[in-house]
């Protein structure tokens, strides 16, 4: 059993709830312990994961958030920089599944967030578990 932290940027409550439900179901079905931490936005997720990883209290992480394209360039900054931050941490050996949705509209978001449809929260949790298994394999 491993301990996973879901770090969510709570902005779109209903979509986040679906993403978390999918991630939690995947992690708990595999016998893992799950906690949820809320941060203000997607840009804060990598920093929160870095702090939590430094604490040594968690084996893996799932990043959850929703970034829907708006009328300004802000979408590109948030989508790109949050992904870059997560990738950098993953390259440092931290097991992270990226479940931050970057969509054009709420219809796309619903399909991807819903555990009964594309279940991107569950997929992110499975990615985190796979990376944890790889890290454990290579650390032996």
């Amino acid at each position: 059993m491993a301990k996973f932290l879901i770090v969510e940027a709570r902005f779109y409550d209903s979509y986040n709830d679906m993403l978390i439900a999918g991630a939690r179901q995947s992690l708990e079905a595999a016998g893992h312990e799950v906690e949820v931490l809320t941060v203000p936005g997607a840009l804060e997720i990598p920093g929160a994961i870095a702090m939590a990883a430094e604490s040594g209290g968690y084996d893996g992480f799932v990043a959850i958030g929703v970034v829907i394209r708006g009328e300004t360039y802000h979408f590109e900054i948030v989508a790109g920089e949050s992904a870059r931050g997560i990738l950098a941490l993953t390259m440092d050996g931290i097991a992270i599944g990226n479940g931050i949705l970057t969509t054009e509209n709420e219809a796309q978001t619903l399909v991807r967030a819903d555990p009964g449809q594309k279940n991107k929260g569950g997929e992110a949790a499975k990615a985190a578990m796979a990376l944890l298994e790889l890290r454990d394999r290579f650390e032996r």
Side-chain angles (χ1 to χ4, degrees), residues 67-131:
V67 183
I68 300 175
R69 185 180 299 278
E71 297 177 5
T72 68
Y73 184 69
H74 186 67
F75 171 88
E76 283 82 5
I77 293 170
V78 174
E81 292 302 313
S82 62
R84 186 193 59 75
I86 290 168
L87 179 60
L89 293 170
T90 302
M91 297 296 289
D92 286 340
I94 300 173
I96 306 170
N98 188 351
I100 301 174
L101 300 183
T102 53
T103 59
E104 296 292 326
N105 54 55
E106 290 197 43
Q108 289 178 354
T109 305
L110 175 61
V111 170
R112 285 158 180 77
D114 185 351
Q117 295 186 57
K118 291 201 174 191
N119 192 19
K120 294 298 182 179
E123 287 183 13
K126 289 175 183 173
M129 289 185 284
L131 286 171

Side-chain angles (χ1 to χ4, degrees), residues 48-66:
I49 290 173
M51 287 183 250
E54 183 73 22
S55 78
Y58 301 96
D59 301 296
F61 302 89
V62 180
I64 295 292
V66 175

Side-chain angles (χ1 to χ4, degrees), residues 1 3 6 9 34 39 50 60 72 74 82-83 91 95 111 113 135:
M1 179 178 82
K3 187 172 183 180
I6 297 172
V34 180
V39 297
T72 68
H74 186 67
S82 62
M91 297 296 289
V111 170
R135 186 180 72 200

